[in-house]
């Protein structure tokens, strides 16, 4: 599929109501999609349609609204399965977000399978959501955490796999794309190496699934976690994909309604997957709207979206190198690099950078981006981050560069 043209992007922008606004007298340049993307009109309309027309609980009602809601909810599960190449929609578990999906695996698979002395291998570039749950389960089980290092360009030091992947390694949990560096990791290579020593592989797909083609069979992983709100869907809906054999061997994450077969006073039996992991009333409208977001992205084409962001990133690397005092973190080429980048501006605190850019109608993020260990590695307390999506234009990179030059001059 050919890459998106600027005309296409202009047409896409018109489908996002929020992008039609001005901020502080300037056209909105939204460069914070790594935190949460904006929503197209058809997704907003889909969510509204559920609440206006057939709002009802799922799975238990035999009346029209409930049956319609159940059909739409389960159809969304099927859309997710096809989108990521899952073998069955029964391997799709709806959660609130990536964080909950990873915690689910940690508290169920981890609590069942990890023993004192077992190793969990992470990387230095992980989001806190893929560190803290493993710290918690390691404290409970006696497992040991280990980390892959990164090189000067923010890529994994793969040579360490020979030393750190051993028979004691039971789990490898890795981001496919770093939310701070933009680095895209060679998941398939690492998954194959992990399986060779008998380890299970979990992939944090929060920054990859919205931006590039992702197929779990091609990745070779055992679990994949991602969030709807980063891929044009509402907040409050996420996904855990897992190999069915692994899911069926895992105990429930939470107890309550919907996740049971029979409840007695002293014991209960649990439902089959995925219901076993979806206790209580789910985020019905949000799941349906996630399915609509998948339809929207699929119509554009995930390869086209990826190539569009590569082109934007290439232009950003070329344009921003001329900004005085700017230090960019992460790979300096578009090879294995996504459309998110973090930077510092000499003499200007990242929060001040973000505030000055906001005055120009440019939305970026400032802080540690839930990657405090990674920021300590670079010996900086915080960075400013810009990130791209389907609705961004090269001219917004020009505006970013001008805004950064203004910030630099203000603090000279």
């Amino acid at each position: 599929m050919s890459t998106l043209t600027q005309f296409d992007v202009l047409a896409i922008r018109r489908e996002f109501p929020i992008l039609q606004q001005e901020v502080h007298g300037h056209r909105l340049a939204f460069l914070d999609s790594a935190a949460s993307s904006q929503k197209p009109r058809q997704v907003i309309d889909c969510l509204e349609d559920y609440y206006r027309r057939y709002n009802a609980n799922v799975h238990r009602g035999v009346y029209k609204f409930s049956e319609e809601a159940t059909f739409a909810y389960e159809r969304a599960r099927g859309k997710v399965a096809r989108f990521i190449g899952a073998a069955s929609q029964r391997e799709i578990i709806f959660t609130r977000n990536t964080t909950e999906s990873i915690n689910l695996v940690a508290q169920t698979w981890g609590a069942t399978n990890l023993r004192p002395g077992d190793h969990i291998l992470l990387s230095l570039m992980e989001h806190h959501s893929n560190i803290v749950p493993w710290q918690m389960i390691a404290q409970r089980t006696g497992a040991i955490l280990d980390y892959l290092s990164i090189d000067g360009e923010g890529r994994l030091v793969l040579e360490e796999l020979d030393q750190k992947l051993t028979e004691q390694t039971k789990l490898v949990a890795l981001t496919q794309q770093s939310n701070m560096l933009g680095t895209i990791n060679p998941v398939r290579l690492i998954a194959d190496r992990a399986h060779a020593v008998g380890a299970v592989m979990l992939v944090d797909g929060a920054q990859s699934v919205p931006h590039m083609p992702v197929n779990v069979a091609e990745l070779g992983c055992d679990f994949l976690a991602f969030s709807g709100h980063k891929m044009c869907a509402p907040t409050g809906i996420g996904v855990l994909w897992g190999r069915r054999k692994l899911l069926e061997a895992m105990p429930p994450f939470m107890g309550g309604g919907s996740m049971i077969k029979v409840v007695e006073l002293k014991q209960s039996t649990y439902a089959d997957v995925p219901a076993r992991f979806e206790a209580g009333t789910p985020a019905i409208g949000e799941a349906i709207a996630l399915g609509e977001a998948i339809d929207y992205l699929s119509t554009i084409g995930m390869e086209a979206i990826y190539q569009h962001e590569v082109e934007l990133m290439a232009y950003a690397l070329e344009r921003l190198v001329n900004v005085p005092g700017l230090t960019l973190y992460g790979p300096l080429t578009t090879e294995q690099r996504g459309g998110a980048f973090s930077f510092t501006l000499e003499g200007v605190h990242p929060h001040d950078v973000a505030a000055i850019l906001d005055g120009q109608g440019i939305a970026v993020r400032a802080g540690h981006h839930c990657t405090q260990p990674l920021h300590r590695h670079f010996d900086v307390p915080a960075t400013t981050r810009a990130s791209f999506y389907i609705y961004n234009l090269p001219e917004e990179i020009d505006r970013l560069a001008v805004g950064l030059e203004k910030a630099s001059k203000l603090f000279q």
Side-chain angles (χ1 to χ4, degrees), residues 315-384:
Y315 183 65
L317 292 171
E318 175 187 336
R319 184 69 174 81
L320 297 177
V321 72
N322 299 316
V323 176
L326 186 137
T327 299
L328 182 69
Y329 299 91
L332 298 178
T333 70
T334 57
E335 182 181 0
Q336 293 184 319
R337 197 198 203 297
F341 60 99
S342 299
F343 57 89
T344 53
L345 196 59
E346 185 178 1
V348 191
H349 192 281
H351 288 96
D352 292 326
V353 172
I356 292 168
L357 291 175
D358 177 60
Q360 304 299 307
I362 304 167
V364 296
R365 183 145 301 244
H368 54 66
H369 317 304
C370 291
T371 58
Q372 287 181 322
L374 187 55
H375 277 74
R376 290 192 195 97
H377 171 80
F378 289 111
D379 196 27
V380 290
T383 56
T384 308

Side-chain angles (χ1 to χ4, degrees), residues 178-406:
S178 167
N179 73 310
M180 176 194 168
L181 303 171
T183 309
I184 298 174
N185 290 317
V187 169
R188 182 57 191 250
L189 182 153
I190 298 170
D192 288 345
R193 294 286 299 274
H195 291 155
V197 299
V200 167
M201 177 82 178
L202 177 142
V203 174
D204 174 356
Q207 298 295 332
S208 59
V209 174
H211 299 282
M212 65 187 73
V214 173
N215 183 293
V216 291
E218 294 175 2
L219 289 182
C221 59
D222 301 291
F223 297 103
L224 174 71
F226 59 98
S227 298
H229 71 94
K230 296 180 189 291
M231 52 186 293
C232 297
T235 56
I237 186 67
V239 173
L240 172 67
W241 168 84
R243 294 189 187 276
R244 189 166 175 178
K245 184 177 180 180
L246 291 174
L247 294 175
E248 289 176 341
M250 288 159 48
F253 180 44
M254 296 185 294
S258 300
M259 50 73 65
I260 49 81
K261 285 185 177 177
V262 177
V263 175
E264 299 177 350
L265 291 179
K266 293 190 176 181
Q267 64 182 14
S268 300
T269 56
Y270 307 127
D272 297 331
V273 297
R276 179 185 306 174
F277 300 107
E278 295 183 6
T281 297
I284 302 165
E286 289 75 8
I288 295 168
L290 171 59
E292 189 71 19
I294 285 173
D295 289 343
Y296 179 80
L297 295 174
S298 298
T299 298
I300 299 170
M302 295 309 298
E303 182 61 34
I305 292 170
Y306 174 68
Q307 291 300 327
H308 172 62
E309 293 183 25
V310 168
E311 291 172 7
L312 288 173
M313 193 67 236
Y315 183 65
L317 292 171
E318 175 187 336
R319 184 69 174 81
L320 297 177
V321 72
N322 299 316
V323 176
L326 186 137
T327 299
L328 182 69
Y329 299 91
L332 298 178
T333 70
T334 57
E335 182 181 0
Q336 293 184 319
R337 197 198 203 297
F341 60 99
S342 299
F343 57 89
T344 53
L345 196 59
E346 185 178 1
V348 191
H349 192 281
H351 288 96
D352 292 326
V353 172
I356 292 168
L357 291 175
D358 177 60
Q360 304 299 307
I362 304 167
V364 296
R365 183 145 301 244
H368 54 66
H369 317 304
C370 291
T371 58
Q372 287 181 322
L374 187 55
H375 277 74
R376 290 192 195 97
H377 171 80
F378 289 111
D379 196 27
V380 290
T383 56
T384 308
R385 183 185 69 194
S387 52
F388 306 130
Y389 207 20
I390 50 178
Y391 34 66
N392 290 121
L393 294 160
E395 66 184 54
E396 294 176 317
I397 298 170
D398 293 331
R399 290 176 58 193
L400 174 64
V402 171
L404 292 174
E405 291 165 356
K406 176 180 180 180

Side-chain angles (χ1 to χ4, degrees), residues 3-72:
T3 58
L4 293 174
T5 65
Q6 181 164 317
F7 175 79
D8 295 320
V9 179
L10 291 173
I12 285 170
R13 287 177 65 86
R14 289 194 289 269
E15 297 170 357
F16 288 77
I18 201 169
L19 299 181
Q20 311 313 309
Q21 306 182 56
E22 288 192 348
V23 176
H24 304 306
H26 300 272
R27 293 190 316 278
L28 171 62
F30 188 78
L31 300 178
D32 194 26
S33 294
S36 195
S37 73
Q38 297 303 336
K39 323 304 177 191
R41 187 173 288 104
Q42 73 181 65
V43 171
I44 297 170
D45 291 346
C46 174
L47 184 62
E48 182 183 24
D49 182 57
Y50 165 72
Y51 285 113
R52 283 186 179 277
R53 193 171 60 81
Y54 60 104
N55 173 41
N57 215 323
V58 292
H59 297 141
R60 294 183 289 276
V62 296
Y63 55 93
K64 182 180 184 298
F65 288 176
S66 180
E67 289 178 342
E68 187 172 354
T70 299
F71 176 80

